[in-house]
Amino acid sequence: SILSGIRVENSVVDNTGYNSTAAIAGGVYNTNMTGCSVENTSIKGKSSVGSISGLAWHSSIITNCEVIGGEVIGNNIFVGGLIGNIFETSISQCSSTADVESKDIYDNNNYVGGLIGNAYGSTINQCYAKSNVKGSQFIGGLIGYASNIRISQCFSEGSVNGDLKIGGLIGTFYEDEDFIFDFAIENCYSNSLVTSTGEAAGLLSFTISEANIKNSYSASTITAETTIPIQLNSTASNTINTYFNG
């Protein structure tokens, strides 16, 4: 299916008790979504909450979509300025400047990101988030929790606030041994104000497995109990031409 050129502005979507909430599509499956935008809109849901879609999975392609201002608020997990949760999806040339927050009334694992809350098996290219992002755990300026994905030419700016595993670009990153991409994070940067009651990092806070990072940097300002430019929880992790100035 194809969704093209849909525009929503100055609206309110209040679906607080339900999953898969957005201003355009609750969820998309094997869908080409292009040239869509959401502006100055308040969106509230439970889990998988975003602006253009709550969920995107199985070969969906999202291009040239933008979110301008507004807010995205969830009260459980998977909350993102653009999309709450993606699976095997390609996203390119998209952006969000919405405020994003999980109210955390169910548990502490929020998975909140300025662009994407949770991402698995996907590619994200030439995207950015300039957002104020709030949650408890797995919170990132661009992506809250990233598994088996490739991110290139992306950046995050704004503020990121939470308790544990808080990153200027990504909250937590996980990669399987058979992951197909040579570099998981390439040509990316973060220039965020990162605040945490626990651990926080300028680029990505916590890696569960091997992390390959190339030509990327952090200029983030960090205020936290434990401050680190990046945490690599694997002896196999690689950083090439990557530096931290925050």
PDB file of all heavy atoms in Angstrom, residues 114-156:
ATOM      1  N   GLY A 114      13.658  10.685  20.233  1.00  0.00           N
ATOM      2  CA  GLY A 114      13.209  11.879  19.545  1.00  0.00           C
ATOM      3  C   GLY A 114      12.614  11.572  18.180  1.00  0.00           C
ATOM      4  O   GLY A 114      11.666  12.233  17.735  1.00  0.00           O
ATOM      5  N   LEU A 115      13.154  10.544  17.499  1.00  0.00           N
ATOM      6  CA  LEU A 115      12.630  10.124  16.202  1.00  0.00           C
ATOM      7  C   LEU A 115      11.881   8.798  16.304  1.00  0.00           C
ATOM      8  O   LEU A 115      10.728   8.692  15.886  1.00  0.00           O
ATOM      9  CB  LEU A 115      13.772   9.989  15.195  1.00  0.00           C
ATOM     10  CG  LEU A 115      13.340   9.848  13.727  1.00  0.00           C
ATOM     11  CD1 LEU A 115      12.908  11.194  13.165  1.00  0.00           C
ATOM     12  CD2 LEU A 115      14.461   9.249  12.879  1.00  0.00           C
ATOM     13  N   ILE A 116      12.559   7.776  16.880  1.00  0.00           N
ATOM     14  CA  ILE A 116      12.015   6.424  16.983  1.00  0.00           C
ATOM     15  C   ILE A 116      12.179   5.923  18.415  1.00  0.00           C
ATOM     16  O   ILE A 116      13.260   6.043  18.998  1.00  0.00           O
ATOM     17  CB  ILE A 116      12.746   5.448  16.030  1.00  0.00           C
ATOM     18  CG1 ILE A 116      12.743   5.983  14.596  1.00  0.00           C
ATOM     19  CG2 ILE A 116      12.139   4.062  16.123  1.00  0.00           C
ATOM     20  CD1 ILE A 116      11.397   6.028  13.936  1.00  0.00           C
ATOM     21  N   GLY A 117      11.132   5.311  18.972  1.00  0.00           N
ATOM     22  CA  GLY A 117      11.249   4.757  20.319  1.00  0.00           C
ATOM     23  C   GLY A 117      12.049   3.471  20.346  1.00  0.00           C
ATOM     24  O   GLY A 117      13.021   3.329  21.086  1.00  0.00           O
ATOM     25  N   ASN A 118      11.667   2.506  19.501  1.00  0.00           N
ATOM     26  CA  ASN A 118      12.328   1.206  19.439  1.00  0.00           C
ATOM     27  C   ASN A 118      12.489   0.813  17.973  1.00  0.00           C
ATOM     28  O   ASN A 118      11.546   0.918  17.179  1.00  0.00           O
ATOM     29  CB  ASN A 118      11.486   0.151  20.168  1.00  0.00           C
ATOM     30  CG  ASN A 118      12.130  -1.225  20.145  1.00  0.00           C
ATOM     31  OD1 ASN A 118      13.162  -1.442  20.765  1.00  0.00           O
ATOM     32  ND2 ASN A 118      11.516  -2.163  19.444  1.00  0.00           N
ATOM     33  N   ALA A 119      13.704   0.346  17.602  1.00  0.00           N
ATOM     34  CA  ALA A 119      13.974  -0.003  16.202  1.00  0.00           C
ATOM     35  C   ALA A 119      14.670  -1.352  16.137  1.00  0.00           C
ATOM     36  O   ALA A 119      15.656  -1.591  16.844  1.00  0.00           O
ATOM     37  CB  ALA A 119      14.851   1.064  15.554  1.00  0.00           C
ATOM     38  N   TYR A 120      14.170  -2.237  15.262  1.00  0.00           N
ATOM     39  CA  TYR A 120      14.779  -3.554  15.082  1.00  0.00           C
ATOM     40  C   TYR A 120      14.907  -3.865  13.583  1.00  0.00           C
ATOM     41  O   TYR A 120      13.965  -3.668  12.808  1.00  0.00           O
ATOM     42  CB  TYR A 120      13.931  -4.645  15.745  1.00  0.00           C
ATOM     43  CG  TYR A 120      14.501  -6.040  15.532  1.00  0.00           C
ATOM     44  CD1 TYR A 120      15.464  -6.551  16.402  1.00  0.00           C
ATOM     45  CD2 TYR A 120      14.114  -6.814  14.449  1.00  0.00           C
ATOM     46  CE1 TYR A 120      16.008  -7.805  16.194  1.00  0.00           C
ATOM     47  CE2 TYR A 120      14.651  -8.074  14.235  1.00  0.00           C
ATOM     48  CZ  TYR A 120      15.603  -8.566  15.107  1.00  0.00           C
ATOM     49  OH  TYR A 120      16.140  -9.803  14.886  1.00  0.00           O
ATOM     50  N   GLY A 121      16.096  -4.371  13.179  1.00  0.00           N
ATOM     51  CA  GLY A 121      16.314  -4.857  11.828  1.00  0.00           C
ATOM     52  C   GLY A 121      16.021  -3.840  10.750  1.00  0.00           C
ATOM     53  O   GLY A 121      15.523  -4.184   9.681  1.00  0.00           O
ATOM     54  N   SER A 122      16.360  -2.584  10.987  1.00  0.00           N
ATOM     55  CA  SER A 122      15.961  -1.496  10.098  1.00  0.00           C
ATOM     56  C   SER A 122      17.154  -0.637   9.703  1.00  0.00           C
ATOM     57  O   SER A 122      18.229  -0.735  10.298  1.00  0.00           O
ATOM     58  CB  SER A 122      14.903  -0.623  10.784  1.00  0.00           C
ATOM     59  OG  SER A 122      13.756  -1.381  11.136  1.00  0.00           O
ATOM     60  N   THR A 123      16.956   0.212   8.694  1.00  0.00           N
ATOM     61  CA  THR A 123      17.959   1.195   8.301  1.00  0.00           C
ATOM     62  C   THR A 123      17.377   2.590   8.443  1.00  0.00           C
ATOM     63  O   THR A 123      16.218   2.831   8.098  1.00  0.00           O
ATOM     64  CB  THR A 123      18.424   0.986   6.848  1.00  0.00           C
ATOM     65  OG1 THR A 123      17.301   1.117   5.964  1.00  0.00           O
ATOM     66  CG2 THR A 123      19.042  -0.383   6.674  1.00  0.00           C
ATOM     67  N   ILE A 124      18.198   3.503   8.962  1.00  0.00           N
ATOM     68  CA  ILE A 124      17.780   4.887   9.144  1.00  0.00           C
ATOM     69  C   ILE A 124      18.865   5.775   8.552  1.00  0.00           C
ATOM     70  O   ILE A 124      20.027   5.715   8.973  1.00  0.00           O
ATOM     71  CB  ILE A 124      17.564   5.204  10.633  1.00  0.00           C
ATOM     72  CG1 ILE A 124      16.485   4.280  11.212  1.00  0.00           C
ATOM     73  CG2 ILE A 124      17.161   6.658  10.828  1.00  0.00           C
ATOM     74  CD1 ILE A 124      16.314   4.388  12.701  1.00  0.00           C
ATOM     75  N   ASN A 125      18.508   6.596   7.567  1.00  0.00           N
ATOM     76  CA  ASN A 125      19.497   7.352   6.812  1.00  0.00           C
ATOM     77  C   ASN A 125      19.026   8.792   6.620  1.00  0.00           C
ATOM     78  O   ASN A 125      17.856   9.042   6.297  1.00  0.00           O
ATOM     79  CB  ASN A 125      19.710   6.687   5.447  1.00  0.00           C
ATOM     80  CG  ASN A 125      20.758   7.405   4.616  1.00  0.00           C
ATOM     81  OD1 ASN A 125      21.863   7.656   5.079  1.00  0.00           O
ATOM     82  ND2 ASN A 125      20.403   7.731   3.387  1.00  0.00           N
ATOM     83  N   GLN A 126      19.935   9.720   6.849  1.00  0.00           N
ATOM     84  CA  GLN A 126      19.685  11.146   6.632  1.00  0.00           C
ATOM     85  C   GLN A 126      18.439  11.624   7.384  1.00  0.00           C
ATOM     86  O   GLN A 126      17.542  12.251   6.811  1.00  0.00           O
ATOM     87  CB  GLN A 126      19.550  11.440   5.129  1.00  0.00           C
ATOM     88  CG  GLN A 126      20.844  11.199   4.370  1.00  0.00           C
ATOM     89  CD  GLN A 126      20.714  11.522   2.888  1.00  0.00           C
ATOM     90  OE1 GLN A 126      19.632  11.432   2.308  1.00  0.00           O
ATOM     91  NE2 GLN A 126      21.814  11.899   2.263  1.00  0.00           N
ATOM     92  N   CYS A 127      18.421  11.333   8.664  1.00  0.00           N
ATOM     93  CA  CYS A 127      17.304  11.746   9.522  1.00  0.00           C
ATOM     94  C   CYS A 127      17.822  12.539  10.715  1.00  0.00           C
ATOM     95  O   CYS A 127      18.991  12.427  11.085  1.00  0.00           O
ATOM     96  CB  CYS A 127      16.535  10.527  10.026  1.00  0.00           C
ATOM     97  SG  CYS A 127      15.708   9.580   8.738  1.00  0.00           S
ATOM     98  N   TYR A 128      16.936  13.312  11.334  1.00  0.00           N
ATOM     99  CA  TYR A 128      17.339  14.007  12.554  1.00  0.00           C
ATOM    100  C   TYR A 128      16.139  14.234  13.465  1.00  0.00           C
ATOM    101  O   TYR A 128      14.986  14.187  13.048  1.00  0.00           O
ATOM    102  CB  TYR A 128      18.020  15.339  12.234  1.00  0.00           C
ATOM    103  CG  TYR A 128      17.120  16.422  11.683  1.00  0.00           C
ATOM    104  CD1 TYR A 128      16.366  17.236  12.534  1.00  0.00           C
ATOM    105  CD2 TYR A 128      17.034  16.652  10.316  1.00  0.00           C
ATOM    106  CE1 TYR A 128      15.552  18.239  12.044  1.00  0.00           C
ATOM    107  CE2 TYR A 128      16.224  17.653   9.808  1.00  0.00           C
ATOM    108  CZ  TYR A 128      15.487  18.449  10.674  1.00  0.00           C
ATOM    109  OH  TYR A 128      14.676  19.434  10.179  1.00  0.00           O
ATOM    110  N   ALA A 129      16.488  14.486  14.731  1.00  0.00           N
ATOM    111  CA  ALA A 129      15.496  14.883  15.731  1.00  0.00           C
ATOM    112  C   ALA A 129      16.048  16.074  16.503  1.00  0.00           C
ATOM    113  O   ALA A 129      17.205  16.052  16.937  1.00  0.00           O
ATOM    114  CB  ALA A 129      15.179  13.739  16.678  1.00  0.00           C
ATOM    115  N   LYS A 130      15.234  17.088  16.639  1.00  0.00           N
ATOM    116  CA  LYS A 130      15.540  18.226  17.503  1.00  0.00           C
ATOM    117  C   LYS A 130      14.396  18.317  18.510  1.00  0.00           C
ATOM    118  O   LYS A 130      13.426  19.043  18.313  1.00  0.00           O
ATOM    119  CB  LYS A 130      15.645  19.520  16.688  1.00  0.00           C
ATOM    120  CG  LYS A 130      16.791  19.540  15.689  1.00  0.00           C
ATOM    121  CD  LYS A 130      16.858  20.874  14.941  1.00  0.00           C
ATOM    122  CE  LYS A 130      18.014  20.923  13.986  1.00  0.00           C
ATOM    123  NZ  LYS A 130      18.086  22.232  13.256  1.00  0.00           N
ATOM    124  N   SER A 131      14.525  17.523  19.562  1.00  0.00           N
ATOM    125  CA  SER A 131      13.393  17.290  20.452  1.00  0.00           C
ATOM    126  C   SER A 131      13.797  17.371  21.911  1.00  0.00           C
ATOM    127  O   SER A 131      14.967  17.194  22.259  1.00  0.00           O
ATOM    128  CB  SER A 131      12.801  15.899  20.181  1.00  0.00           C
ATOM    129  OG  SER A 131      12.433  15.749  18.827  1.00  0.00           O
ATOM    130  N   ASN A 132      12.806  17.586  22.762  1.00  0.00           N
ATOM    131  CA  ASN A 132      12.956  17.396  24.198  1.00  0.00           C
ATOM    132  C   ASN A 132      12.358  16.043  24.531  1.00  0.00           C
ATOM    133  O   ASN A 132      11.160  15.820  24.342  1.00  0.00           O
ATOM    134  CB  ASN A 132      12.236  18.508  24.959  1.00  0.00           C
ATOM    135  CG  ASN A 132      12.805  19.877  24.646  1.00  0.00           C
ATOM    136  OD1 ASN A 132      14.015  20.067  24.647  1.00  0.00           O
ATOM    137  ND2 ASN A 132      11.944  20.837  24.364  1.00  0.00           N
ATOM    138  N   VAL A 133      13.210  15.109  24.985  1.00  0.00           N
ATOM    139  CA  VAL A 133      12.812  13.717  25.172  1.00  0.00           C
ATOM    140  C   VAL A 133      12.887  13.366  26.656  1.00  0.00           C
ATOM    141  O   VAL A 133      13.914  13.607  27.302  1.00  0.00           O
ATOM    142  CB  VAL A 133      13.722  12.773  24.362  1.00  0.00           C
ATOM    143  CG1 VAL A 133      13.230  11.338  24.458  1.00  0.00           C
ATOM    144  CG2 VAL A 133      13.785  13.211  22.902  1.00  0.00           C
ATOM    145  N   LYS A 134      11.800  12.769  27.206  1.00  0.00           N
ATOM    146  CA  LYS A 134      11.765  12.421  28.619  1.00  0.00           C
ATOM    147  C   LYS A 134      11.257  11.001  28.809  1.00  0.00           C
ATOM    148  O   LYS A 134      10.360  10.553  28.112  1.00  0.00           O
ATOM    149  CB  LYS A 134      10.846  13.382  29.389  1.00  0.00           C
ATOM    150  CG  LYS A 134      11.297  14.820  29.414  1.00  0.00           C
ATOM    151  CD  LYS A 134      10.318  15.674  30.203  1.00  0.00           C
ATOM    152  CE  LYS A 134      10.720  17.135  30.207  1.00  0.00           C
ATOM    153  NZ  LYS A 134       9.750  17.974  30.962  1.00  0.00           N
ATOM    154  N   GLY A 135      11.838  10.316  29.783  1.00  0.00           N
ATOM    155  CA  GLY A 135      11.396   8.976  30.132  1.00  0.00           C
ATOM    156  C   GLY A 135      12.199   8.462  31.307  1.00  0.00           C
ATOM    157  O   GLY A 135      12.859   9.231  32.008  1.00  0.00           O
ATOM    158  N   SER A 136      12.164   7.163  31.518  1.00  0.00           N
ATOM    159  CA  SER A 136      12.888   6.572  32.630  1.00  0.00           C
ATOM    160  C   SER A 136      14.126   5.810  32.163  1.00  0.00           C
ATOM    161  O   SER A 136      15.243   6.122  32.536  1.00  0.00           O
ATOM    162  CB  SER A 136      11.962   5.644  33.418  1.00  0.00           C
ATOM    163  OG  SER A 136      12.653   5.058  34.498  1.00  0.00           O
ATOM    164  N   GLN A 137      13.921   4.798  31.291  1.00  0.00           N
ATOM    165  CA  GLN A 137      15.017   3.919  30.895  1.00  0.00           C
ATOM    166  C   GLN A 137      14.965   3.652  29.387  1.00  0.00           C
ATOM    167  O   GLN A 137      13.895   3.565  28.800  1.00  0.00           O
ATOM    168  CB  GLN A 137      14.915   2.600  31.662  1.00  0.00           C
ATOM    169  CG  GLN A 137      16.142   1.726  31.558  1.00  0.00           C
ATOM    170  CD  GLN A 137      16.155   0.606  32.559  1.00  0.00           C
ATOM    171  OE1 GLN A 137      17.174  -0.036  32.770  1.00  0.00           O
ATOM    172  NE2 GLN A 137      15.045   0.323  33.191  1.00  0.00           N
ATOM    173  N   PHE A 138      16.163   3.528  28.773  1.00  0.00           N
ATOM    174  CA  PHE A 138      16.305   3.366  27.328  1.00  0.00           C
ATOM    175  C   PHE A 138      15.758   4.607  26.608  1.00  0.00           C
ATOM    176  O   PHE A 138      14.782   4.545  25.861  1.00  0.00           O
ATOM    177  CB  PHE A 138      15.603   2.104  26.817  1.00  0.00           C
ATOM    178  CG  PHE A 138      15.996   0.848  27.531  1.00  0.00           C
ATOM    179  CD1 PHE A 138      15.035   0.050  28.138  1.00  0.00           C
ATOM    180  CD2 PHE A 138      17.327   0.458  27.624  1.00  0.00           C
ATOM    181  CE1 PHE A 138      15.387  -1.110  28.810  1.00  0.00           C
ATOM    182  CE2 PHE A 138      17.694  -0.704  28.294  1.00  0.00           C
ATOM    183  CZ  PHE A 138      16.724  -1.486  28.884  1.00  0.00           C
ATOM    184  N   ILE A 139      16.423   5.744  26.828  1.00  0.00           N
ATOM    185  CA  ILE A 139      15.976   7.019  26.282  1.00  0.00           C
ATOM    186  C   ILE A 139      17.096   7.607  25.424  1.00  0.00           C
ATOM    187  O   ILE A 139      18.242   7.701  25.860  1.00  0.00           O
ATOM    188  CB  ILE A 139      15.626   8.021  27.406  1.00  0.00           C
ATOM    189  CG1 ILE A 139      14.790   7.349  28.504  1.00  0.00           C
ATOM    190  CG2 ILE A 139      14.927   9.245  26.840  1.00  0.00           C
ATOM    191  CD1 ILE A 139      13.479   6.792  28.057  1.00  0.00           C
ATOM    192  N   GLY A 140      16.773   8.003  24.187  1.00  0.00           N
ATOM    193  CA  GLY A 140      17.782   8.571  23.305  1.00  0.00           C
ATOM    194  C   GLY A 140      17.278   9.778  22.545  1.00  0.00           C
ATOM    195  O   GLY A 140      16.078   9.896  22.247  1.00  0.00           O
ATOM    196  N   GLY A 141      18.195  10.670  22.187  1.00  0.00           N
ATOM    197  CA  GLY A 141      17.822  11.850  21.426  1.00  0.00           C
ATOM    198  C   GLY A 141      17.262  11.510  20.058  1.00  0.00           C
ATOM    199  O   GLY A 141      16.383  12.205  19.545  1.00  0.00           O
ATOM    200  N   LEU A 142      17.766  10.416  19.441  1.00  0.00           N
ATOM    201  CA  LEU A 142      17.256   9.960  18.157  1.00  0.00           C
ATOM    202  C   LEU A 142      16.442   8.676  18.307  1.00  0.00           C
ATOM    203  O   LEU A 142      15.312   8.597  17.837  1.00  0.00           O
ATOM    204  CB  LEU A 142      18.411   9.715  17.183  1.00  0.00           C
ATOM    205  CG  LEU A 142      18.009   9.460  15.727  1.00  0.00           C
ATOM    206  CD1 LEU A 142      17.595  10.762  15.046  1.00  0.00           C
ATOM    207  CD2 LEU A 142      19.149   8.788  14.948  1.00  0.00           C
ATOM    208  N   ILE A 143      17.031   7.649  18.981  1.00  0.00           N
ATOM    209  CA  ILE A 143      16.384   6.343  19.152  1.00  0.00           C
ATOM    210  C   ILE A 143      16.555   5.895  20.602  1.00  0.00           C
ATOM    211  O   ILE A 143      17.643   5.997  21.170  1.00  0.00           O
ATOM    212  CB  ILE A 143      17.009   5.284  18.220  1.00  0.00           C
ATOM    213  CG1 ILE A 143      16.946   5.749  16.762  1.00  0.00           C
ATOM    214  CG2 ILE A 143      16.307   3.941  18.379  1.00  0.00           C
ATOM    215  CD1 ILE A 143      17.720   4.848  15.816  1.00  0.00           C
ATOM    216  N   GLY A 144      15.493   5.368  21.195  1.00  0.00           N
ATOM    217  CA  GLY A 144      15.590   4.889  22.573  1.00  0.00           C
ATOM    218  C   GLY A 144      16.331   3.573  22.678  1.00  0.00           C
ATOM    219  O   GLY A 144      17.275   3.431  23.457  1.00  0.00           O
ATOM    220  N   TYR A 145      15.921   2.568  21.860  1.00  0.00           N
ATOM    221  CA  TYR A 145      16.535   1.237  21.893  1.00  0.00           C
ATOM    222  C   TYR A 145      16.677   0.765  20.449  1.00  0.00           C
ATOM    223  O   TYR A 145      15.697   0.733  19.694  1.00  0.00           O
ATOM    224  CB  TYR A 145      15.670   0.263  22.688  1.00  0.00           C
ATOM    225  CG  TYR A 145      16.339  -1.051  23.019  1.00  0.00           C
ATOM    226  CD1 TYR A 145      16.877  -1.269  24.287  1.00  0.00           C
ATOM    227  CD2 TYR A 145      16.422  -2.067  22.082  1.00  0.00           C
ATOM    228  CE1 TYR A 145      17.485  -2.474  24.596  1.00  0.00           C
ATOM    229  CE2 TYR A 145      17.036  -3.273  22.391  1.00  0.00           C
ATOM    230  CZ  TYR A 145      17.565  -3.472  23.653  1.00  0.00           C
ATOM    231  OH  TYR A 145      18.172  -4.674  23.943  1.00  0.00           O
ATOM    232  N   ALA A 146      17.903   0.385  20.070  1.00  0.00           N
ATOM    233  CA  ALA A 146      18.181  -0.002  18.690  1.00  0.00           C
ATOM    234  C   ALA A 146      18.771  -1.403  18.647  1.00  0.00           C
ATOM    235  O   ALA A 146      19.769  -1.677  19.304  1.00  0.00           O
ATOM    236  CB  ALA A 146      19.145   0.997  18.055  1.00  0.00           C
ATOM    237  N   SER A 147      18.142  -2.304  17.868  1.00  0.00           N
ATOM    238  CA  SER A 147      18.630  -3.678  17.729  1.00  0.00           C
ATOM    239  C   SER A 147      18.838  -3.997  16.248  1.00  0.00           C
ATOM    240  O   SER A 147      17.905  -3.863  15.455  1.00  0.00           O
ATOM    241  CB  SER A 147      17.618  -4.676  18.302  1.00  0.00           C
ATOM    242  OG  SER A 147      17.260  -4.351  19.619  1.00  0.00           O
ATOM    243  N   ASN A 148      20.049  -4.413  15.903  1.00  0.00           N
ATOM    244  CA  ASN A 148      20.335  -4.859  14.538  1.00  0.00           C
ATOM    245  C   ASN A 148      19.907  -3.833  13.493  1.00  0.00           C
ATOM    246  O   ASN A 148      19.157  -4.130  12.570  1.00  0.00           O
ATOM    247  CB  ASN A 148      19.648  -6.197  14.252  1.00  0.00           C
ATOM    248  CG  ASN A 148      20.196  -7.313  15.113  1.00  0.00           C
ATOM    249  OD1 ASN A 148      21.253  -7.178  15.715  1.00  0.00           O
ATOM    250  ND2 ASN A 148      19.469  -8.405  15.190  1.00  0.00           N
ATOM    251  N   ILE A 149      20.389  -2.624  13.650  1.00  0.00           N
ATOM    252  CA  ILE A 149      20.043  -1.586  12.686  1.00  0.00           C
ATOM    253  C   ILE A 149      21.301  -0.895  12.169  1.00  0.00           C
ATOM    254  O   ILE A 149      22.380  -1.001  12.760  1.00  0.00           O
ATOM    255  CB  ILE A 149      19.090  -0.525  13.285  1.00  0.00           C
ATOM    256  CG1 ILE A 149      19.820   0.365  14.293  1.00  0.00           C
ATOM    257  CG2 ILE A 149      17.876  -1.165  13.923  1.00  0.00           C
ATOM    258  CD1 ILE A 149      19.001   1.562  14.707  1.00  0.00           C
ATOM    259  N   ARG A 150      21.166  -0.206  11.062  1.00  0.00           N
ATOM    260  CA  ARG A 150      22.238   0.639  10.543  1.00  0.00           C
ATOM    261  C   ARG A 150      21.733   2.069  10.489  1.00  0.00           C
ATOM    262  O   ARG A 150      20.674   2.353   9.927  1.00  0.00           O
ATOM    263  CB  ARG A 150      22.682   0.210   9.155  1.00  0.00           C
ATOM    264  CG  ARG A 150      23.935   0.949   8.705  1.00  0.00           C
ATOM    265  CD  ARG A 150      24.352   0.583   7.299  1.00  0.00           C
ATOM    266  NE  ARG A 150      25.696   1.019   7.014  1.00  0.00           N
ATOM    267  CZ  ARG A 150      26.042   2.264   6.686  1.00  0.00           C
ATOM    268  NH1 ARG A 150      25.120   3.195   6.628  1.00  0.00           N
ATOM    269  NH2 ARG A 150      27.305   2.569   6.434  1.00  0.00           N
ATOM    270  N   ILE A 151      22.502   2.982  11.090  1.00  0.00           N
ATOM    271  CA  ILE A 151      22.159   4.396  11.132  1.00  0.00           C
ATOM    272  C   ILE A 151      23.281   5.169  10.449  1.00  0.00           C
ATOM    273  O   ILE A 151      24.451   5.019  10.804  1.00  0.00           O
ATOM    274  CB  ILE A 151      22.015   4.892  12.582  1.00  0.00           C
ATOM    275  CG1 ILE A 151      21.081   3.979  13.376  1.00  0.00           C
ATOM    276  CG2 ILE A 151      21.508   6.317  12.609  1.00  0.00           C
ATOM    277  CD1 ILE A 151      21.111   4.256  14.854  1.00  0.00           C
ATOM    278  N   SER A 152      22.944   5.992   9.486  1.00  0.00           N
ATOM    279  CA  SER A 152      23.963   6.774   8.795  1.00  0.00           C
ATOM    280  C   SER A 152      23.454   8.179   8.517  1.00  0.00           C
ATOM    281  O   SER A 152      22.268   8.394   8.261  1.00  0.00           O
ATOM    282  CB  SER A 152      24.370   6.096   7.479  1.00  0.00           C
ATOM    283  OG  SER A 152      23.263   5.973   6.613  1.00  0.00           O
ATOM    284  N   GLN A 153      24.382   9.145   8.627  1.00  0.00           N
ATOM    285  CA  GLN A 153      24.103  10.545   8.338  1.00  0.00           C
ATOM    286  C   GLN A 153      22.889  11.058   9.117  1.00  0.00           C
ATOM    287  O   GLN A 153      21.994  11.696   8.562  1.00  0.00           O
ATOM    288  CB  GLN A 153      23.890  10.744   6.831  1.00  0.00           C
ATOM    289  CG  GLN A 153      25.099  10.337   5.997  1.00  0.00           C
ATOM    290  CD  GLN A 153      24.859  10.548   4.517  1.00  0.00           C
ATOM    291  OE1 GLN A 153      24.634  11.671   4.085  1.00  0.00           O
ATOM    292  NE2 GLN A 153      24.910   9.484   3.736  1.00  0.00           N
ATOM    293  N   CYS A 154      22.882  10.770  10.402  1.00  0.00           N
ATOM    294  CA  CYS A 154      21.799  11.212  11.272  1.00  0.00           C
ATOM    295  C   CYS A 154      22.356  12.035  12.428  1.00  0.00           C
ATOM    296  O   CYS A 154      23.517  11.894  12.801  1.00  0.00           O
ATOM    297  CB  CYS A 154      21.035  10.012  11.834  1.00  0.00           C
ATOM    298  SG  CYS A 154      20.136   9.055  10.598  1.00  0.00           S
ATOM    299  N   PHE A 155      21.514  12.874  13.021  1.00  0.00           N
ATOM    300  CA  PHE A 155      21.953  13.615  14.199  1.00  0.00           C
ATOM    301  C   PHE A 155      20.777  13.910  15.115  1.00  0.00           C
ATOM    302  O   PHE A 155      19.609  13.826  14.710  1.00  0.00           O
ATOM    303  CB  PHE A 155      22.673  14.912  13.806  1.00  0.00           C
ATOM    304  CG  PHE A 155      21.795  15.995  13.248  1.00  0.00           C
ATOM    305  CD1 PHE A 155      21.178  16.924  14.080  1.00  0.00           C
ATOM    306  CD2 PHE A 155      21.586  16.097  11.886  1.00  0.00           C
ATOM    307  CE1 PHE A 155      20.379  17.935  13.572  1.00  0.00           C
ATOM    308  CE2 PHE A 155      20.790  17.104  11.353  1.00  0.00           C
ATOM    309  CZ  PHE A 155      20.184  18.022  12.202  1.00  0.00           C
ATOM    310  N   SER A 156      21.130  14.247  16.351  1.00  0.00           N
ATOM    311  CA  SER A 156      20.121  14.647  17.333  1.00  0.00           C
ATOM    312  C   SER A 156      20.582  15.899  18.054  1.00  0.00           C
ATOM    313  O   SER A 156      21.763  16.062  18.367  1.00  0.00           O
ATOM    314  CB  SER A 156      19.863  13.526  18.338  1.00  0.00           C
ATOM    315  OG  SER A 156      21.044  13.216  19.053  1.00  0.00           O
TER     316      SER A 156
END
